[in-house]
Amino acid sequence: MTKSHFLRICSLLLLCMTNLCMTSVKADVVEITSAGSLSSLLPETATEVTIKGPINGTDVKYLRHLINDMSLTSMDMTETRFVAGGEAYVVQNGEDQKLDRDDVMSNHMFDNCTNLRSVRLSKYVNELWWAVFASTGISEIDVPDNIKTMDWVDFGYCPNLTKVTLGKGLTRLMNSVFYNSPVAEVYVKTMTPPDLSDNTFTSNPTIHVYKELKEAYEKSRWAEFGTIVGDLENYFPEEKDPALEQGALMKEVFADESCTTLNATYQSMSD
C-alpha cells in the first residue's frame, strides 16, 4: 500500500466518523428523571433535541445557553414536563425570571433566542405566560389542544413566523400575542371563537375555520384581524364525537327519549 493510498483511506475514515458524530448529535433524545440535570445529559454540540421528562429553571437556563451561545436550533418538547424550581433562567428588566409553577411556560422563557428555528410544545402545558417565544427565529407554530391561554407577545416580533395552528382547547389570547410577526395563515380548530385582545395579529392573515363556524367567527373580534375563510376541514377533517353521532341516530330511529317507540318510517319498515 502506498503512502498516498494509506492517507486517502485515513481521510475517508475520518470523514465517516465526523459524519457519524454529526448525525448522532443532531438526533439527541434526552430522557430526564430528575429536573435540573439536563446539562449532564445533553452535550453542548447538540443541534436538535427531544426532551422527555421534567425540567426546571436550571434546565431552561442551559437550553438558552445552547441556543444563544452554541448550535441548538430545534426542540421537541412534546413530552417535557415543566416543574417549579431551579435557578433563574434569565434576567429581564432587572428581575430574575424563574419557573415557579408546574405545567406552565413562564415569562420570557425563550424570549430573544433568535437562533431557535423550530419548537414543538409540550402536551402537559396549559398556559403560556408573557413573551415565551418572542423574538425567536421560528417559522411556524402548532399550539396543541391542551393549551388554554396565551399571553402578551408570546410569539411577537418573530420575523420568520408565517404559519400558526391553534388547538381545540384554546379559550383566550391576550394582548398582542403575534404582534409584529408576519403571520400569513392561521388555522383555528376551536369550535367556539376564543376571546381576543388588542393587536392579536398585525399582519392581516387568512384565518381558516370550519365551514359551519365561519359566520360565528365573522361576528366576533376575529374579523378585525384578518380574512375569515370557512375551509378548515380541507386541512384538518373534523373529528366526530361518537356520543353525539349515536344520539342523532337514536333520535332518527325512535320517537321517544326512552327509545321504546320507532318513528313512523322505521315502524312501517318493521311491519
Side-chain angles (χ1 to χ4, degrees):
M1 181 184 297
T2 65
K3 181 178 180 180
S4 60
H5 190 200
F6 175 76
L7 291 175
R8 184 180 178 186
I9 291 174
C10 289
S11 298
L12 289 172
L13 287 173
L14 181 60
L15 179 61
C16 290
M17 291 176 64
T18 301
N19 288 337
L20 180 61
C21 291
M22 290 178 66
T23 301
S24 63
V25 167
K26 184 177 181 180
D28 274 305
V29 176
V30 177
E31 297 191 16
I32 305 176
T33 57
S34 178
S37 62
L38 183 62
S39 63
S40 66
L41 301 171
L42 180 63
E44 288 192 330
T45 50
T47 59
E48 300 179 5
V49 64
T50 296
I51 302 172
K52 300 180 179 182
I55 67 172
N56 63 17
T58 301
D59 301 311
V60 173
K61 181 179 180 180
Y62 181 64
L63 286 171
R64 289 182 59 92
H65 160 62
L66 297 190
I67 297 168
N68 292 331
D69 304 323
M70 305 304 290
S71 304
L72 186 63
T73 60
S74 176
M75 299 187 298
D76 184 342
M77 312 187 95
T78 305
E79 297 185 48
T80 305
R81 297 295 301 249
F82 291 87
V83 297
E87 301 175 60
Y89 48 82
V90 71
V91 176
Q92 186 74 21
N93 298 324
E95 295 184 5
D96 285 346
Q97 302 298 319
K98 297 183 177 182
L99 223 175
D100 54 14
R101 206 176 95 187
D102 293 347
D103 296 328
V104 301
M105 297 190 75
S106 48
N107 296 348
H108 304 286
M109 185 169 279
F110 294 103
D111 186 4
N112 280 308
C113 290
T114 56
N115 295 325
L116 182 62
R117 296 289 182 263
S118 174
V119 65
R120 295 185 66 181
L121 300 179
S122 170
K123 64 183 181 182
Y124 302 109
V125 166
N126 50 58
E127 296 178 13
L128 302 184
W129 290 2
W130 285 15
V132 175
F133 291 100
S135 300
T136 57
I138 61 174
S139 58
E140 63 180 272
I141 189 66
D142 188 341
V143 178
D145 296 343
N146 46 283
I147 291 180
K148 309 300 181 186
T149 60
M150 300 170 66
D151 218 319
W152 178 73
V153 295
D154 271 331
F155 296 93
Y157 301 98
C158 296
N160 303 320
L161 181 57
T162 58
K163 179 182 177 182
V164 172
T165 302
L166 301 176
K168 299 176 185 177
L170 194 63
T171 60
R172 188 172 187 184
L173 289 86
M174 303 296 284
N175 189 45
S176 304
V177 173
F178 297 98
Y179 186 81
N180 205 32
S181 294
V183 178
E185 306 289 335
V186 182
Y187 302 86
V188 190
K189 298 179 182 179
T190 56
M191 303 307 287
T192 301
D195 293 335
L196 300 181
S197 298
D198 295 338
N199 299 313
T200 301
F201 299 97
T202 54
S203 54
N204 193 35
T206 299
I207 301 171
H208 303 268
V209 302
Y210 289 115
K211 183 177 180 179
E212 67 268 27
L213 301 176
K214 182 173 183 288
E215 183 177 357
Y217 274 86
E218 287 177 333
K219 291 180 178 179
S220 72
R221 287 203 68 186
W222 282 83
E224 299 177 21
F225 299 107
T227 302
I228 310 295
V229 178
D231 66 350
L232 188 63
E233 53 273 6
N234 295 337
Y235 305 94
F236 300 97
E238 287 188 73
E239 297 178 6
K240 302 297 184 181
D241 186 331
L244 293 177
E245 287 190 319
Q246 181 179 358
L249 179 61
M250 299 299 276
K251 287 182 179 180
E252 179 184 341
V253 175
F254 294 98
D256 60 332
E257 291 186 1
S258 58
C259 301
T260 58
T261 304
L262 291 171
N263 281 324
T265 301
Y266 291 93
Q267 182 66 49
S268 63
M269 292 170 61
S270 66
D271 291 339

